[in-house]
Amino acid sequence: MLLIEPTLEYAKDIEAYRQEFLDIEGSMDGCGSLRRCATGAEWIEKSLQGKDPKYVAEGRVPATQFIYVREEDNRVVGMLQLRHCFNEYLEKYAGHIGYSVRPSERRKGYATAMLRDALPHCRALGIRDVLISCLTDNEGSRRTILANGGVYESTVHEPEMDRDLERYWIHL
């Protein structure tokens, strides 16, 4: 498995990844602007620019976008976004990392491995305590966080989307 920044080589598969989520009306956590991008190439360009503060929109923070690629068939099975710092919303609700696994590839351990592989990138950015949240009814995400050393802190209510989120910390 490879946790890498997206390249044009994966543009068509990224479009297929997006379509799987649209087909099930699923949440594209950790995918940045993927829902709003018409093409994989457009999303890749926006994702790569998102690391540079001069391209980051007001109210957003610099972030590194990763794709999780299964080497044997070069298929994108997951996406993960690592936010370099907090804004008010991220600090209260979303945390440093968001991630998702392609609907057709779930329940294979990819999320746990992808999060584990992202933690050294957090350390490289100087993040020593990583905040990750998940919906209270997302047992898979909770298990992923716990398997990576997550320690439950609290449950908060996010009013904009009227949902409850569990907050976990992973100390590096």
Side-chain angles (χ1 to χ4, degrees):
M1 299 302 299
L2 298 171
L3 184 68
I4 58 173
E5 292 185 49
T7 64
L8 287 176
E9 170 187 357
Y10 296 99
K12 289 296 177 197
D13 198 31
I14 288 165
E15 291 170 14
Y17 186 99
R18 176 183 181 269
Q19 191 60 52
E20 279 194 41
F21 278 92
L22 293 175
D23 289 347
I24 66 164
E25 298 179 10
S27 175
M28 293 184 207
D29 299 320
C31 296
S33 61
L34 185 60
R35 184 176 295 280
R36 296 182 306 277
C37 290
T39 67
E42 177 189 359
W43 178 79
I44 291 164
E45 181 180 347
K46 286 179 185 269
S47 296
L48 295 176
Q49 287 178 344
K51 289 173 59 172
D52 187 337
K54 73 180 178 184
Y55 292 111
V56 176
E58 187 175 329
R60 302 283 183 176
V61 301
T64 303
Q65 183 69 55
F66 293 99
I67 56 176
Y68 205 49
V69 178
R70 186 172 52 215
E71 289 180 270
E72 64 195 43
D73 59 359
N74 215 30
R75 182 178 169 103
V76 177
V77 299
M79 293 190 183
L80 182 142
Q81 185 180 67
L82 169 55
R83 295 125 191 169
H84 301 182
C85 57
F86 288 146
N87 59 22
E88 185 178 342
Y89 182 87
L90 294 173
E91 187 170 21
K92 285 183 181 177
Y93 306 112
H96 289 102
I97 293 177
Y99 55 84
S100 63
V101 173
R102 189 179 202 135
S104 62
E105 297 289 350
R106 291 181 177 163
R107 301 183 151 247
K108 298 178 182 177
Y110 292 131
T112 299
M114 181 170 51
L115 179 54
R116 179 196 65 229
D117 292 349
L119 295 176
H121 294 278
C122 295
R123 193 176 291 113
L125 287 169
I127 302 169
R128 296 292 178 247
D129 292 297
V130 181
L131 176 62
I132 306 175
S133 67
C134 67
L135 292 170
T136 55
D137 64 352
N138 189 336
E139 184 63 30
S141 190
R142 179 184 305 108
R143 288 182 187 198
T144 292
I145 297 165
L146 292 171
N148 280 283
V151 176
Y152 175 79
E153 179 206 69
S154 63
T155 299
V156 295
H157 182 75
E158 195 276 327
E160 244 178 69
M161 299 191 72
D162 191 28
R163 59 189 184 174
D164 292 327
L165 298 161
E166 295 177 358
R167 293 167 41 99
Y168 293 85
W169 290 93
I170 299 174
H171 178 72
L172 302 178

